[in-house]
Amino acid sequence: MAKKMIDFNKNFKKIVIVYLAIFLVGVVLALVLGVKLDINFKGGARITYAYTGEVAEKDVQSALGDVIKEKYTVTKSTSIAGDTKTISLNLVGNKGISTKVQEDITKKLTEKFKDNKIELYDSNSVSPTIAGSFFLKSLVAVVIAAAFVVLYVGVRFRKIGGVSAGMTALVALVFDVLITFFVCVFFRLQIDSNYIAVVLTILGYSLNDTIVTFDRVRENRKLYPEDDLAESVNKSINMTLIRNVITSVTTFVAVLTVVGVAEIFGLTTLRTFGIPMAFGIVSGSISSLCIAGPLWVIWQNKKSKKKAR
């Protein structure tokens, strides 16, 4: 009895509609809630204090009500070893903070939390100009990586229409990047250097799954030249399905462990990397299987019809 296969070409439109619905919700959330940018991307200042015992964010804001006039956020974190607790004041969008204001902040906190041994742990500021330059360089890095994706796939699969394969692979990657962005908006995570690391990692991870699929397509086109293009692609995706799912599940479990550690110990840095990365892995697996291949079939069919005319 022939093995039953999933028809990925048939389900292509349904998957795209689901993605578009997610993107629509994400855009609405971004407009309503706003996008949190780190000081490295928008400019501002961050002052971090180490402390012992328990300190609540709302108590910190209450103590500093007459010291800091600008809008700011308070975040808490704990080292993996659990021996250092820190609380950070983030003033995004400001040019910096004067030494006197910083001294006033320290004085207020030490007076308010006498038993918590408050002491200055770290302090840094980034001007809007430098932040804008850093943001631009990060975007350039992502664009260059995307260009290399198209170039690499185009050269490697030139015998089956390399440029079209590269472009469809890029479309799938764009979907994955948008998913990670809207995840940051939904979970109120800052867009920082960790997010750029997530994007670049997802580009490589998702591309790997797509390459495996196109590689099998190339082999099947040689072995079964009589097969229809859609049938050949569908067969190839089904042949790589188990491999892609197992790889994605094992990677997802590893990243989920990172997220668990971040939530338990309050590690903000790991959290801003792990959560979008976890969703990016899931999206990367889906887009590689359900977007890249079927979209390539549509591209090639339209190209063939154009040539026939």
Side-chain angles (χ1 to χ4, degrees):
M1 186 174 69
K3 184 179 178 181
K4 187 176 180 180
M5 294 194 302
I6 301 173
D7 191 343
F8 288 96
N9 295 304
K10 183 179 179 181
N11 295 318
F12 171 72
K13 290 184 178 180
K14 296 178 182 177
I15 296 296
V16 171
I17 289 173
V18 171
Y19 266 100
L20 293 178
I22 294 174
F23 295 159
L24 179 60
V25 173
V27 169
V28 172
L29 288 176
L31 293 175
V32 174
L33 302 177
V35 179
K36 296 178 67 176
L37 293 177
D38 184 64
I39 64 171
N40 290 323
F41 286 159
K42 195 174 182 179
R46 179 184 292 113
I47 309 174
T48 304
Y49 292 90
Y51 67 93
T52 60
E54 295 297 328
V55 174
E57 291 97 326
K58 62 179 181 180
D59 293 334
V60 172
Q61 291 178 322
S62 176
L64 300 177
D66 57 345
V67 179
I68 304 178
K69 303 301 181 182
E70 299 87 354
K71 186 178 180 181
Y72 69 97
T73 59
V74 180
T75 57
K76 293 169 61 176
S77 183
T78 307
S79 64
I80 296 178
D83 56 349
T84 304
K85 294 181 180 179
T86 59
I87 191 161
S88 299
L89 311 178
N90 306 288
L91 293 86
V92 180
N94 296 275
K95 295 182 179 180
I97 192 166
S98 66
T99 303
K100 184 181 184 306
V101 173
Q102 183 173 305
E103 291 175 351
D104 291 341
I105 292 172
T106 304
K107 182 180 179 181
K108 282 287 184 179
L109 292 179
T110 52
E111 290 177 354
K112 176 70 175 180
F113 306 100
K114 295 180 180 179
D115 300 328
N116 298 101
K117 299 179 180 179
I118 294 281
E119 59 180 18
L120 184 64
Y121 186 79
D122 187 28
S123 176
N124 62 81
S125 60
V126 180
S127 70
T129 303
I130 295 176
S133 176
F134 181 71
F135 183 68
L136 181 61
K137 289 178 181 178
S138 298
L139 288 180
V140 170
V142 173
V143 171
I144 291 175
F148 273 110
V149 166
V150 177
L151 179 62
Y152 174 74
V153 176
V155 172
R156 180 165 179 175
F157 300 104
R158 58 189 179 278
K159 292 184 179 180
I160 60 170
V163 175
S164 58
M167 293 304 294
T168 54
L170 182 61
V171 170
L173 294 176
V174 170
F175 277 34
D176 301 333
V177 171
L178 289 176
I179 286 292
T180 60
F181 174 75
F182 290 129
V183 164
C184 289
V185 173
F186 179 79
F187 286 97
R188 309 305 298 144
L189 302 175
Q190 283 191 338
I191 303 297
D192 54 13
S193 55
N194 282 337
Y195 177 72
I196 300 300
V198 169
V199 170
L200 295 176
T201 304
I202 291 299
L203 286 177
Y205 183 87
S206 181
L207 177 62
N208 181 65
D209 286 346
T210 305
I211 286 175
V212 170
T213 301
F214 278 129
D215 197 47
R216 186 54 60 93
V217 171
R218 182 174 56 184
E219 291 178 4
N220 285 336
R221 295 301 289 168
K222 290 181 181 179
L223 295 174
Y224 311 101
E226 71 281 358
D227 283 354
D228 176 74
L229 182 60
E231 181 184 355
S232 180
V233 170
N234 198 60
K235 183 188 294 183
S236 300
I237 297 175
N238 277 274
M239 291 172 71
T240 60
L241 178 61
I242 299 301
R243 180 263 184 201
N244 286 344
V245 170
I246 291 176
T247 302
S248 298
V249 170
T250 52
T251 310
F252 179 78
V253 170
V255 175
L256 204 61
T257 303
V258 173
V259 174
V261 171
E263 292 297 331
I264 292 173
F265 293 101
L267 303 174
T268 306
T269 302
L270 283 181
R271 191 170 186 266
T272 55
F273 176 84
I275 293 178
M277 185 68 186
F279 282 90
I281 288 171
V282 175
S283 177
S285 180
I286 294 173
S287 65
S288 297
L289 296 170
C290 305
I291 301 289
L295 183 59
W296 181 72
V297 171
I298 295 173
W299 185 312
Q300 290 296 101
N301 286 338
K302 287 187 176 181
K303 186 177 179 182
S304 298
K305 290 179 180 178
K306 187 177 180 180
K307 284 184 177 180
R309 288 198 297 266

